[in-house]
Amino acid sequence: MATRLVQIHMKAADDEAVGRFWAQALGWGMSSEGPGVTNLEPEGFVYPSPTAVCIDVVHDPNPKTVKNRVHLDLATTSAAHQAGLVARLRSLGATPIDVGQGEVPWTVLADPEGNEFCVLEPREIYRDTGPVAAVVVDCADPRAMARFWDEAIDWTLHEVTDDHARLRSAKGVGPYLEFVRTPDVKTVKNRVHLDLRPYPGDEQAAEAARIRALGAVDVNIGQVDVPWTVFADPEGNEFCVLTPM
């Protein structure tokens, strides 16, 4: 049995507006599976594929109150590309923000509803990820998070230190999943979370049981009679195990 990261779930008061921003930011297509949900994926993409982690923007009237613990890092190929991308994103509605980053070579921005993200300086490791270099999760213990997530999904662990852990699809394509040590403590339900999906032929219940045995706990975030299972990882970050596909 195995599962894989297929998408991130992002809450928004106006899912269509936030979805439009991210579609334009990434050069992706935008569609909707139903009212209050805006789906984003690369043009011509055949879902699910490790070449990209898709984005579902889902309506939620509750306001954002704290810094997100999950954010996107965007890749660039040159200093000129980075500067041009930052300028284009600002023209789309992004705003510079200070999350305590100090003097760093990347630029920290927020989307139109305040969701933080970074435009990285060129880095060789992200040369082939596509527009999203990494999905980044704040945590207290990257080593412990790496142990859990390395077992929970079939991605390969590439690096782990006291301050940082990095995984990527075993096929060597698409963005990285990274865990970065931060002093911040989780206080509210995450507005951005990970969605996992088992492979065809696997059973969702069996996969949920396997992940539960690794240390995940069932949580109720208001879901009622849904086909997915909602968990929290060892540091309380919510994630969903969807039906196989």
Side-chain angles (χ1 to χ4, degrees), residues 149-223:
W149 285 99
D150 188 33
E151 294 291 334
I153 61 178
D154 68 345
W155 285 24
T156 299
L157 181 62
H158 285 262
E159 176 188 356
V160 59
T161 70
D162 289 344
D163 295 316
H164 182 261
R166 177 183 286 127
L167 300 91
R168 195 185 193 191
S169 166
K171 296 186 182 298
V173 295
Y176 289 83
L177 173 62
E178 302 186 1
F179 298 92
V180 177
R181 182 184 292 276
T182 175
D184 300 334
V185 176
K186 184 177 185 293
T187 57
V188 299
K189 181 182 73 173
N190 289 347
R191 288 181 67 81
V192 182
H193 70 248
L194 309 182
D195 281 347
L196 314 183
R197 193 179 289 278
Y199 285 89
D202 286 344
E203 294 184 1
Q204 182 188 26
E207 189 60 25
R210 185 186 68 83
I211 289 174
R212 207 175 276 119
L214 296 174
V217 296
D218 294 83
V219 294
N220 189 327
I221 56 174
Q223 73 273 16

